[in-house]
């Protein structure tokens, strides 16, 4: 693992050195004009500050960049151009737009939204906005099953892989060799021989230490097509935007998604941070089409050969189950942070309770305010966090948000058996979400994510029961008790919260 990581880092070093050399060359060339250029850059930094202040963006993120520009105006402006400004994503955006043109038109859930509006007018407005913003419809559920641990999800995935007849599409942030991955590859390789089209996508940076080009070549030798998303070749602004999505689609008839990556710790075959608590779901019916479309769009954007239009096409699937589902993917390339807005909306609509699972807790100002406003008006707001962290610095940053939330009436629990990697919420005995979205800045604003909103049906009941069971294994966080107060803690928390958008 370490050798793979070092190999990738060493491969990037020459590019970085060349870029540094080029900057030094330019500095020497323009040295005689330093005073003029310094004045121009200082003026540019001033306009950067005005631009950031007036830009519609998360307040915490703005404060971070304003501090950078205040401390180092010229390097800060360059860093903002490279990493802080979404204009650097234009090539990536063009790729996705081009790929989208090659896909058939998405269906619209107008009838479903109209039916929902009769009983839930406010919620239907929120889901209509998400549908219009993302291009994915509200649809009837065929069958939906919730899995409270990764090992149960994996068992169901293996059963469905054996039934594949047409195609298998897999996309994960992390793929790591081990019993889980080897078992999947054995079935997929066998299915290739039966004529099934098998494709694997993984995030290049997310899997940098666990999955290499050599591993991808080994898959191709078995007839399994494999590509990396947003490959890490040099220091570029788009490297900040990772593919954090997770999905396994089989024949366009069934999809699995949730927080589970492909690595043995996710199904508790290996223990790294105590018991690994993760969740996922299995979905059939019309909602599978949304995931097939998400996958085809990304494959066509990041591979030279698009998926043939005839391959993902499947006969229309009946709903027939209970409730509705709206599955979408979140993108840093748009101005709207859809999942962030969704959770603000749900918190504002909750009447009795709203409970969240998340491995990391670093919300922006607007989401933080929504949590506190809901709690102050009497809504039972709870959050379950890990008891054993996977990243200690990120865990400490998450703790810096505890005092304000606890003072506002939000209840926070830490899962004592180990690490919580589950992402989702349940609200008022009718709505739940399950997906890949953490309650931190990277997930809410910088990553590609996928999420499913379920209304009605059995899924919310299972999520609620799982939350209550997990809470019995968790310790409640109390101000002045296991959450320390005092001047030094206050100062450290303030500093950590400034830099939370970087993590």
């Amino acid at each position: 693992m370490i050798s793979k990581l070092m190999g990738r880092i060493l491969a990037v070093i020459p590019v970085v050195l060349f870029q540094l050399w080029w900057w030094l060359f330019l500095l020497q060339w323009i040295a005689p004009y330093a005073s003029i250029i310094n004045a121009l850059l200082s003026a540019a930094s001033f306009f950067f500050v005005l631009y950031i202040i007036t830009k519609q963006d998360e307040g915490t993120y703005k404060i971070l960049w304003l501090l950078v520009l205040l401390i180092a105006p010229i390097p800060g402006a360059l860093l903002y151009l490279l990493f802080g400004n979404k204009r650097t994503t234009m090539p990536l955006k063009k790729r996705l737009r081009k790929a989208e043109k090659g896909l058939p038109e998405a269906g619209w859930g107008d009838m479903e939204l109209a039916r929902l509006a009769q009983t839930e007018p406010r919620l239907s407005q929120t889901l209509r906005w998400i549908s219009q913003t993302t291009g994915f419809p509200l649809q009837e559920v065929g069958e939906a099953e919730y899995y409270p641990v990764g090992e149960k999800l994996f068992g169901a995935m293996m059963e469905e892989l054996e039934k594949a007849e047409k195609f298998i599409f897999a996309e994960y942030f992390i793929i790591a060799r081990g019993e889980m991955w080897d078992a999947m590859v054995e079935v997929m390789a066998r299915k290739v021989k039966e004529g099934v089209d098998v494709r694997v996508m993984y995030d290049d940076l997310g899997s940098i230490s666990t999955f290499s080009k050599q591993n991808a070549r080994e898959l191709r030798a078995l007839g399994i097509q494999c590509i990396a998303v947003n490959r890490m070749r040099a220091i570029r602004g788009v490297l900040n935007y990772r593919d954090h999505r997770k999905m396994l689609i089989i024949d366009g008839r069934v999809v699995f998604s949730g927080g589970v990556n492909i690595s043995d710790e996710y199904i508790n075959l290996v223990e790294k941070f105590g018991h690994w608590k993760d969740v996922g779901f299995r979905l059939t019916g019309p909602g599978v089409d949304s995931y097939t479309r998400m996958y085809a769009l990304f494959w066509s954007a990041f591979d030279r050969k698009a998926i043939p239009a005839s391959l993902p096409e499947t006969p229309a699937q009946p709903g027939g189950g209970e409730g509705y589902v709206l599955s979408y993917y979140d993108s840093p390339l748009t101005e709207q942070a859809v999942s962030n807005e969704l959770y603000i909306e749900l918190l504002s609509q909750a009447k009795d309770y709203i409970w969240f699972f998340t491995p990391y807790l670093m919300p922006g100002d607007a989401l933080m305010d929504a949590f506190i406003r809901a709690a102050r008006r009497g809504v039972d707001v709870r959050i379950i966090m890990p008891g054993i962290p996977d990243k200690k610095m990120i865990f400490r940053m998450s703790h810096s948000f505890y005092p304000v939330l606890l003072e506002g009436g939000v209840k926070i629990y830490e899962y004592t058996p180990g690490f919580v990697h589950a992402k989702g919420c349940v609200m008022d005995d009718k709505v739940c979400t399950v997906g890949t979205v953490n309650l931190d800045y990277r997930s809410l604003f910088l990553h590609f994510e996928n999420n499913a909103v379920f209304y009605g049906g059995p899924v919310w009941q299972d999520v609620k029961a799982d939350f209550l069971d997990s809470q019995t294994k968790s310790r409640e966080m109390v101000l002045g008790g296991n959450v320390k107060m005092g001047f030094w803690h206050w100062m450290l928390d303030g500093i950590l919260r400034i830099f939370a958008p970087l993590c």
Side-chain angles (χ1 to χ4, degrees), residues 19 22 56 77 146 234 254 289 304 352 356 399 475 485:
Q19 289 178 344
W22 178 247
Q56 186 179 359
Y146 173 79
V254 61
D289 293 343
R304 293 177 182 176
D352 299 319
F356 289 82
H399 267 243
R475 61 175 174 267
M485 301 289 288

Side-chain angles (χ1 to χ4, degrees), residues 161 168 181-196 198 200 218-219 221-224:
L161 281 171
I168 297 169
W181 179 237
D182 290 348
M184 292 178 68
V185 170
E186 190 276 325
V187 177
M188 291 191 291
R190 186 157 30 88
K191 288 297 175 179
V192 167
K193 294 178 182 178
E194 297 173 10
V196 176
V198 183
V200 173
E218 290 169 0
L219 287 187
L222 296 171
I224 300 169

Side-chain angles (χ1 to χ4, degrees), residues 1-310:
M1 181 186 296
I2 294 174
S3 61
K4 288 180 183 177
L5 180 59
M6 288 304 298
R8 295 298 297 278
I9 292 172
L10 290 172
V12 171
I13 285 175
V15 180
V16 175
L17 290 175
F18 176 78
Q19 289 178 344
L20 290 173
W21 173 84
W22 178 247
W23 289 339
L24 289 171
F25 172 78
L26 287 176
L27 286 173
Q28 287 182 343
W29 181 65
I30 62 177
Y33 313 100
S35 58
I36 298 172
I37 292 169
N38 185 58
L40 291 174
L41 289 174
S42 296
S45 296
F46 172 74
F47 284 106
F48 268 120
V49 170
L50 290 182
Y51 172 71
I52 292 170
I53 289 171
T54 58
K55 186 181 178 184
Q56 186 179 359
D57 211 336
E58 180 58 39
T60 311
Y61 194 60
K62 287 190 192 182
I63 291 170
L64 174 62
W65 281 111
L66 289 172
L67 282 172
V68 170
L69 286 165
L70 179 66
I71 295 167
I74 296 172
L78 293 172
L79 285 170
Y80 183 79
L81 283 172
L82 188 60
F83 294 108
N85 184 10
K86 288 188 178 180
R87 293 184 184 277
T88 59
T89 64
M90 286 306 295
L92 190 55
K93 192 180 293 187
K94 287 179 181 178
R95 274 186 173 191
L96 287 167
R97 283 178 179 170
K98 183 179 179 182
E100 195 167 27
K101 290 178 182 178
L103 296 178
E105 289 291 326
W108 292 101
D110 290 336
M111 290 178 58
E112 290 80 1
L113 284 166
R115 286 198 293 268
L116 182 61
Q118 294 175 7
T119 54
E120 299 285 350
R122 182 67 181 84
L123 179 63
S124 70
Q125 289 177 330
T126 299
L127 297 185
R128 183 177 295 278
W129 174 79
I130 292 174
S131 183
Q132 291 172 343
T133 303
T134 64
F136 291 93
L138 180 70
Q139 294 167 310
E140 288 185 335
V141 171
E143 295 177 352
E145 186 170 0
Y146 173 79
Y147 302 98
V149 286
E151 41 269 45
K152 289 187 177 181
L153 174 71
F154 177 58
M157 286 166 57
M158 292 300 294
E159 288 180 13
E160 292 293 347
L161 281 171
E162 291 285 1
K163 300 175 186 176
E165 296 179 351
K166 190 175 181 183
F167 65 82
I168 297 169
F169 293 164
E171 178 181 356
Y172 290 91
F173 181 63
I174 295 172
I175 295 178
R177 288 291 304 272
E179 291 185 43
M180 184 181 188
W181 179 237
D182 290 348
M184 292 178 68
V185 170
E186 190 276 325
V187 177
M188 291 191 291
R190 186 157 30 88
K191 288 297 175 179
V192 167
K193 294 178 182 178
E194 297 173 10
V196 176
D197 187 297
V198 183
R199 298 170 188 253
V200 173
M201 264 193 298
Y202 65 96
D203 184 78
D204 191 50
L205 190 58
S207 300
I208 191 170
S209 64
T210 60
F211 199 82
S212 66
K213 287 184 179 180
Q214 178 59 33
N215 297 134
R217 283 193 290 267
E218 290 169 0
L219 287 187
R220 295 187 193 109
L222 296 171
I224 300 169
Q225 300 181 65
C226 181
I227 62 171
V229 173
N230 208 2
R231 186 170 286 282
M232 180 179 171
R233 293 192 178 95
I235 296 178
R236 300 179 298 156
V238 293
L239 285 177
N240 214 18
Y241 308 122
R242 306 317 313 170
D243 178 15
H244 198 243
R245 311 190 314 178
K246 302 163 186 72
M247 61 187 79
L248 176 68
I249 311 156
I250 300 167
D251 292 344
R253 61 177 176 79
V254 61
V255 62
F256 295 89
S257 188
V260 178
N261 282 298
I262 308 301
S263 186
D264 286 352
E265 64 266 28
Y266 288 82
I267 57 173
N268 288 295
L269 291 176
V270 173
E271 185 175 298
K272 288 188 174 181
F273 311 103
H275 179 264
W276 193 286
K277 165 66 181 172
D278 219 325
V279 303
F281 64 87
R282 172 185 177 273
L283 178 67
T284 69
V288 180
D289 293 343
S290 292
Y291 288 92
T292 308
R293 184 178 178 82
M294 290 181 214
Y295 191 94
L297 176 62
F298 261 49
W299 186 281
S300 299
F302 290 100
D303 190 48
R304 293 177 182 176
K305 289 182 65 177
I307 295 178
S310 59

Side-chain angles (χ1 to χ4, degrees), residues 436-478:
T436 70
V437 183
N438 303 318
L439 296 182
D440 65 7
Y441 193 90
R442 298 203 67 81
S443 255
L444 295 169
F445 295 95
L446 297 180
H447 285 167
F448 293 99
E449 307 279 356
N450 64 270
N451 206 10
V453 186
F454 292 92
Y455 174 82
V459 179
W460 72 260
Q461 299 172 43
D462 295 334
V463 176
K464 182 178 182 180
D466 183 32
F467 189 98
L468 290 171
D469 178 65
S470 300
Q471 187 179 312
T472 64
K473 304 168 186 173
S474 304
R475 61 175 174 267
E476 185 171 3
M477 307 308 291
V478 180

Side-chain angles (χ1 to χ4, degrees), residues 276-476:
W276 193 286
K277 165 66 181 172
D278 219 325
V279 303
F281 64 87
R282 172 185 177 273
L283 178 67
T284 69
V288 180
D289 293 343
S290 292
Y291 288 92
T292 308
R293 184 178 178 82
M294 290 181 214
Y295 191 94
L297 176 62
F298 261 49
W299 186 281
S300 299
F302 290 100
D303 190 48
R304 293 177 182 176
K305 289 182 65 177
I307 295 178
S310 59
L311 181 62
E313 287 182 0
T314 53
Q317 295 192 65
E322 296 180 65
Y324 300 100
V325 61
L326 198 166
S327 300
Y328 66 92
Y329 86 91
D330 221 342
S331 169
L333 309 183
T334 61
E335 292 301 321
Q336 294 83 17
V338 177
S339 295
N340 189 63
E341 294 296 326
L342 167 66
Y343 288 132
I344 291 171
E345 284 282 297
L346 292 181
L347 283 158
S348 71
Q349 294 170 39
K351 296 178 181 178
D352 299 319
Y353 73 88
I354 182 166
W355 303 338
F356 289 82
F357 282 113
T358 184
Y360 315 114
L361 183 60
M362 292 176 279
D365 291 341
L367 184 55
M368 187 89 144
D369 289 344
F371 271 107
I372 293 170
R373 285 198 303 270
R376 283 178 176 168
R377 71 171 188 272
V379 177
D380 180 5
V381 184
R382 306 181 195 177
I383 302 170
I384 288 183
M385 284 278 293
I388 300 175
D390 66 333
K391 303 176 182 71
K392 290 184 179 180
M393 178 57 73
I394 305 302
F395 188 63
R396 184 62 190 84
M397 283 191 168
S398 294
H399 267 243
S400 72
F401 289 81
Y402 281 17
V404 176
L405 288 168
L406 291 170
E407 285 175 349
V410 177
K411 299 172 185 175
I412 301 174
Y413 302 84
E414 291 187 349
Y415 181 71
T416 54
F419 181 64
V420 169
H421 194 254
K423 309 108 172 6
C425 76
V426 59
M427 181 191 90
D428 288 352
D429 286 2
K430 59 185 177 184
V431 178
C432 70
T433 69
V434 184
T436 70
V437 183
N438 303 318
L439 296 182
D440 65 7
Y441 193 90
R442 298 203 67 81
S443 255
L444 295 169
F445 295 95
L446 297 180
H447 285 167
F448 293 99
E449 307 279 356
N450 64 270
N451 206 10
V453 186
F454 292 92
Y455 174 82
V459 179
W460 72 260
Q461 299 172 43
D462 295 334
V463 176
K464 182 178 182 180
D466 183 32
F467 189 98
L468 290 171
D469 178 65
S470 300
Q471 187 179 312
T472 64
K473 304 168 186 173
S474 304
R475 61 175 174 267
E476 185 171 3

